[in-house]
Amino acid sequence: MTESLDIVILGLSLSSSWGNGHATTYRALIRGLNAEGHRVSFLERDVPWYASNRDLAEPDFCRLIYYADIGEMIENHAGLMRAADAVIVGSYVPSGVTVIDAVAALRPRRLCFYDIDTPVTLAKLDRKDEEYLARRQLPIFDTYFSFSGGDVLAKLERGYSARKALALYCSVDASRYRATGEAFHWDLGYLGTYSPDRQPTVERLLIEPARRLPHLSFAVAGPQYPEDIDWPSNVERIEHLPPADHASFYSRQRFTLNVTRSDMIAAGWSPSVRLFEAAACGTPIISDAWRGLDELFTDNRSIIIARRSEDVVGPLTTMNPTDRRALASAAQATVMQRHTGEKRARELVVALRELPEGINDTRSTSQPISA
């Protein structure tokens, strides 16, 4: 491979963070690649729900290309993908199975998958749900980059026939996520799209503490929450918070809450991008528990792990400002050292350069191009 790489990514969305965590994950990674001198083209399906909620329609750190359907995408950009040093297809791409077959048929130099939803993907495959990835396709990829690490990587290789599985955790753009110096507005906040499997934890670790501490202020930011949720009067609801406002949101909280999807908890080693964003902003984190968390952050030195409502009420009511700042500083130092976009970009480039030269002759498809 050349010193500077040409990379094509087909992902869920780069232009819109509405209702997804993919956009900010891609932005941090691609900004890191750009800072390292690499060139990225991002292909995004032009769908109405993102088109009407774009908060980065024209990025200055990569080429963003919208396409209407797969046939048009292949016809117009086959040359781009064949010439690239690597083509990376992401999870949850619309009609992803068809996209993968169509791209594999082009026989790009390197074909990889970036799963930002690994535990969800594997749970789907176990149910024979092939919404965006078919089980037969895993051996097609030179490398399966996984949002989850730990035991999940061995499971991908041994149980799902991935040729090579590597952890590529999400990351944070340190130039955009930093403390703003604003005064505190909330005692505890949470940023996340509504998910039925996360909501019981939000109830236990935010709503119930809010009921017990009516003199304190709370916030929940994110779309798609049902209208029948009984929010206490001291919980402020913010329907959508664009990435440009994330740093301000975190900086105005005394503590922030991290809540993890049930599939991610079951798999372990699946840090949320929100976890790294909050830490980069110097906001103390209270998180639910999952395997691997203590390998990213040392328990009670840089993060508070909560299982019960009392585990949240305690810090909110008893932790002094000095200890709170020490907690935040320890997490911030960990993230700035290990989990920035530039750090993750370097990890990706090293992995791509280690792949053998030549085209994988095992790639083939007999699937029609449609959707």
Side-chain angles (χ1 to χ4, degrees), residues 298-353:
T298 304
D299 192 8
N300 292 329
R301 278 195 59 250
S302 56
I303 196 168
I304 296 168
I305 296 177
R307 293 174 174 84
R308 307 169 302 157
S309 301
E310 291 78 8
D311 298 331
V312 177
V313 171
L316 289 181
T317 56
T318 64
M319 183 173 285
N320 64 58
T322 299
D323 290 343
R324 190 187 61 77
R325 285 193 294 269
L327 189 78
S329 295
Q332 186 179 48
T334 295
V335 167
M336 299 306 289
Q337 181 180 7
R338 302 178 186 174
H339 302 296
T340 65
E342 291 188 16
K343 169 68 174 175
R344 205 65 76 236
R346 288 192 287 270
E347 292 173 1
L348 174 61
V349 168
V350 167
L352 292 176
R353 284 181 170 150

Side-chain angles (χ1 to χ4, degrees), residues 34-359:
N34 180 66
E36 294 287 305
H38 306 291
R39 295 173 295 276
V40 177
S41 298
F42 191 97
L43 301 180
E44 176 178 335
R45 184 86 174 244
D46 191 6
V47 295
W49 48 92
Y50 291 146
S52 58
N53 291 282
R54 283 184 178 137
D55 41 44
L56 188 68
E58 297 181 2
D60 59 2
F61 51 86
C62 74
R63 181 186 179 194
L64 174 55
I65 301 168
Y66 301 104
Y67 64 93
D69 58 65
I70 297 169
E72 175 224 311
M73 183 265 290
I74 295 296
E75 181 179 354
N76 292 339
H77 306 297
L80 176 70
M81 287 183 275
R82 287 193 181 106
D85 293 296
V87 177
I88 302 173
V89 182
S91 53
Y92 268 103
V93 168
S95 304
V97 173
T98 306
V99 167
I100 292 166
D101 283 337
V103 173
L106 299 175
R107 300 178 71 218
R109 296 179 187 178
R110 302 290 182 276
L111 179 61
C112 303
F113 190 74
Y114 185 19
D115 200 338
I116 301 177
D117 310 274
T118 309
V120 175
T121 301
L122 299 190
K124 280 177 168 289
L125 293 179
D126 290 343
R127 299 192 303 269
K128 303 187 185 309
D129 177 349
E130 298 185 338
E131 179 185 0
Y132 52 82
L133 175 69
R135 192 162 186 149
R136 64 175 170 80
Q137 293 176 322
L138 271 77
I140 290 175
F141 301 107
D142 295 295
T143 300
Y144 191 114
F145 292 108
S146 170
F147 168 98
S148 306
D151 296 344
V152 177
L153 303 178
K155 186 176 182 180
L156 278 162
E157 292 180 351
R158 296 171 189 167
Y160 296 85
S161 302
R163 296 206 216 151
K164 184 177 184 180
L166 294 176
L168 191 68
Y169 292 125
C170 55
S171 60
V172 63
D173 183 348
S175 69
R176 285 163 172 77
Y177 287 85
R178 58 179 66 175
T180 64
E182 295 172 270
F184 293 134
H185 187 74
W186 304 285
D187 295 285
L188 179 69
Y190 169 65
L191 173 57
T193 300
Y194 172 79
S195 177
D197 62 327
R198 275 197 299 236
Q199 192 59 22
T201 305
V202 174
E203 293 272 352
R204 185 172 67 254
L205 301 185
L206 189 143
I207 293 178
E208 180 57 27
R211 291 193 182 104
R212 297 187 192 183
L213 304 169
H215 59 293
L216 299 185
S217 179
F218 299 76
V220 173
Q224 302 178 20
Y225 284 83
E227 294 182 2
D228 60 358
I229 294 176
D230 183 18
W231 299 104
S233 60
N234 57 335
V235 177
E236 182 178 347
R237 272 287 294 124
I238 303 169
E239 179 64 22
H240 176 59
L241 195 73
D245 297 335
H246 286 188
S248 174
F249 180 68
Y250 289 124
S251 296
R252 289 182 290 157
Q253 301 170 44
R254 283 204 303 128
F255 294 88
T256 199
L257 178 66
N258 177 70
V259 179
T260 310
R261 296 281 304 270
S262 58
D263 287 330
M264 308 289 187
I265 291 174
W269 293 276
S270 301
S272 158
V273 67
R274 307 298 177 222
L275 195 65
F276 296 152
E277 290 174 355
C281 292
T283 305
I285 301 165
I286 300 174
S287 178
D288 54 359
W290 38 270
R291 289 180 304 152
L293 180 57
D294 58 350
E295 297 176 20
L296 295 164
F297 298 97
T298 304
D299 192 8
N300 292 329
R301 278 195 59 250
S302 56
I303 196 168
I304 296 168
I305 296 177
R307 293 174 174 84
R308 307 169 302 157
S309 301
E310 291 78 8
D311 298 331
V312 177
V313 171
L316 289 181
T317 56
T318 64
M319 183 173 285
N320 64 58
T322 299
D323 290 343
R324 190 187 61 77
R325 285 193 294 269
L327 189 78
S329 295
Q332 186 179 48
T334 295
V335 167
M336 299 306 289
Q337 181 180 7
R338 302 178 186 174
H339 302 296
T340 65
E342 291 188 16
K343 169 68 174 175
R344 205 65 76 236
R346 288 192 287 270
E347 292 173 1
L348 174 61
V349 168
V350 167
L352 292 176
R353 284 181 170 150
E354 287 178 350
L355 289 173
E357 294 292 332
I359 295 172

